[in-house]
Amino acid sequence: MHELLSQRLFDEQVKHLTPRLAQSRGWVVHQVSYPILDFEFQTEGRTPIRLRLNCQNWNTQPPSIDLLDSAGAYLQKLPGGMSLVFNPSAHERTGRPFVCMRGSLEYHTHPSHLSDPWEGLRTSDNYTLGGILTQLWHAWQNGQT
């Protein structure tokens, strides 16, 4: 996709990620500027997780999602009690734990998911940027012990 079109679509979708929505969900917003979405999920009694979505080529490609600690450093190991969406294995491209969920570049480029192409999902309401963040938030909430 042309970069200007990608940025317009990004901007259109992130305008729905309001400070009020973030506050109601316990999200800390670190950055929302094309092509980066950087959010941290926090709630009492749970280990926070920070997600940085690189949305270059949105939505021709899904975002690449980095798993970070609160300071912004890459996680080399996941905290215990995480949902299987947060895969503790090293992704062959990054060598780090990764998001193994439809809608992440790491999922769609993983050899075990090549038969599940992004193309069929990219126009679905569940796979907007807000939809992907919401799915990740639910997985984080439900996967913690």
Side-chain angles (χ1 to χ4, degrees):
M1 177 176 278
H2 188 277
E3 187 166 355
L4 186 56
L5 293 174
S6 179
Q7 183 173 355
R8 284 183 187 161
L9 184 56
F10 175 94
D11 291 342
E12 177 64 29
Q13 290 184 8
V14 299
K15 74 179 184 184
H16 302 289
L17 301 174
T18 64
R20 183 176 178 171
L21 173 67
Q23 182 181 19
S24 73
R25 293 182 173 187
W27 296 359
V28 175
V29 180
H30 293 279
Q31 181 180 352
V32 178
S33 60
Y34 181 79
I36 302 296
L37 282 179
D38 189 341
F39 282 75
E40 186 172 354
F41 301 155
Q42 298 180 347
T43 195
E44 181 100 16
R46 305 243 174 121
T47 303
I49 192 162
R50 186 169 169 180
L51 306 164
R52 183 175 52 218
L53 286 70
N54 184 329
C55 304
Q56 193 74 41
N57 299 315
W58 178 253
N59 76 350
T60 301
Q61 291 184 333
S64 177
I65 304 172
D66 293 320
L67 301 173
L68 310 171
D69 65 17
S70 291
Y74 292 112
L75 290 178
Q76 299 301 321
K77 183 178 177 186
L78 293 178
M82 298 293 285
S83 159
L84 292 179
V85 162
F86 303 99
N87 191 314
S89 301
H91 191 278
E92 64 179 20
R93 190 171 53 85
T94 65
R96 296 186 301 269
F98 64 101
V99 170
C100 189
M101 180 187 88
R102 296 170 97 194
S104 76
L105 185 62
E106 290 72 19
Y107 172 90
H108 291 286
T109 59
H110 194 276
S112 61
H113 299 295
L114 294 177
S115 63
D116 190 6
W118 168 245
E119 184 61 33
L121 301 172
R122 70 187 199 106
T123 58
S124 167
D125 288 343
N126 291 330
Y127 294 96
T128 62
L129 294 171
I132 292 168
L133 273 173
T134 298
Q135 289 181 60
L136 290 166
W137 177 59
H138 286 298
W140 173 78
Q141 284 185 309
N142 296 328
Q144 295 278 337
T145 54

